[in-house]
Amino acid sequence: MRLSTFCILCCLSAGISQAATYVWSGAAGNGIYGDSNNWTVDGAPNGYFPQHSTNDNAIIGENAGTVTWSTAQSFFGATNTVQVGSGSTLVCTTTIGDLNVNSFTLEGNSHLVFESSNAFGLGRDFTLDFGTFTAAEHGSWTATDLTNFWTNGKTVTFTGTLDMNSLSGSGTIELASIKSAQLGGNLYLDLFGLDISTSDPKIQTSVAQVTENGVTKVLINYETVPEPATATLGLLG
């Protein structure tokens, strides 16, 4: 039985649009995100890299070093999720164009960096998921080394849960550092998805969005206070 040209084209189109989960192997040895030889699907390269489909998922494992989006690409590509493992850094830089990713998951001590000497823009709203993090181990987003940052009035939603059991003393956790001079409409940071609530009266926490020296930062401030009886004993001592 002969297949019509229309059927063949439909089958090819369905294959091209099929979502895939890409796992970073780094086999090409150049650290370039846009090199298909650095990715595997079901254990083997498939000739593509994440952006083949709007439903693609990318996984960069732990301690993968620095992975850099290739400046030869005109845009980051339409990708569903990008997961960056602890100890790894993803640098998103383009010659010119928009970032089109639905969500980034930043595990442990991972870093997401936006930088470009040309125009770098956000093509859509996206989510930053920090998972369950501690004061010592948490992901971070940096977007300060940019000549033109076209935030385009987009929204970045922060999600994650702070592990209260790891807290002691006082300190500040910096989750994001963003250049505040924004083009195309101010960036909106939705911080309501950060869960730092606690029923322990000894732990006081707060989320703050502050601007210092032209840079907007997302900070979590925490302080552990002694119980009244402990404080009294300290004074008596």
Side-chain angles (χ1 to χ4, degrees):
M1 182 177 69
R2 296 178 62 188
L3 292 175
S4 69
T5 303
F6 175 77
C7 290
I8 293 174
L9 289 175
C10 286
C11 291
L12 289 174
S13 176
I16 290 174
S17 62
Q18 184 178 5
T21 296
Y22 290 79
V23 178
W24 177 264
S25 68
N30 54 16
I32 299 298
Y33 186 101
D35 188 333
S36 62
N37 293 314
N38 282 318
W39 297 93
T40 62
V41 175
D42 296 329
N46 70 345
Y48 296 96
F49 56 92
Q51 84 160 30
H52 184 212
S53 162
T54 57
N55 295 317
D56 283 343
N57 299 305
I59 299 175
I60 300 172
E62 296 182 356
N63 302 316
T66 298
V67 178
T68 303
W69 176 253
S70 172
T71 55
Q73 302 296 328
S74 60
F75 60 97
F76 190 91
T79 308
N80 184 28
T81 64
V82 178
Q83 177 180 315
V84 185
S86 181
S88 301
T89 298
L90 174 59
V91 179
C92 300
T93 178
T94 65
T95 301
I96 187 170
D98 288 342
L99 176 77
N100 290 293
V101 174
N102 290 327
S103 68
F104 291 94
T105 299
L106 303 180
E107 299 180 340
N109 290 319
S110 63
H111 302 284
L112 175 64
V113 180
F114 290 0
E115 65 179 27
S116 178
S117 58
N118 296 285
F120 183 90
L122 300 182
R124 65 181 67 177
D125 301 334
F126 68 91
T127 298
L128 278 179
D129 183 358
F130 294 90
T132 299
F133 59 94
T134 68
E137 295 188 358
H138 59 87
S140 65
W141 173 37
T142 304
T144 53
D145 188 13
L146 295 166
T147 302
N148 294 306
F149 189 19
W150 287 86
T151 51
N152 295 324
K154 301 301 182 183
T155 296
V156 178
T157 300
F158 287 66
T159 64
T161 301
L162 176 61
D163 179 3
M164 297 293 180
N165 296 320
S166 68
L167 296 181
S168 62
S170 60
T172 299
I173 302 170
E174 184 175 306
L175 295 182
S177 180
I178 309 144
K179 184 179 180 182
S180 60
Q182 299 159 7
L183 304 173
N186 290 332
L187 185 68
Y188 177 68
L189 304 180
D190 182 349
L191 308 181
F192 293 101
L194 291 174
D195 182 9
I196 60 166
S197 59
T198 176
S199 59
D200 189 342
K202 300 190 302 296
I203 302 176
Q204 299 177 356
T205 58
S206 64
V207 177
Q209 179 181 329
V210 301
T211 299
E212 301 173 343
N213 300 320
V215 176
T216 298
K217 297 182 179 181
V218 175
L219 308 174
I220 296 179
N221 300 305
Y222 65 91
E223 181 179 8
T224 54
V225 296
E227 295 179 355
T230 304
T232 302
L233 290 173
L235 291 174
L236 291 176

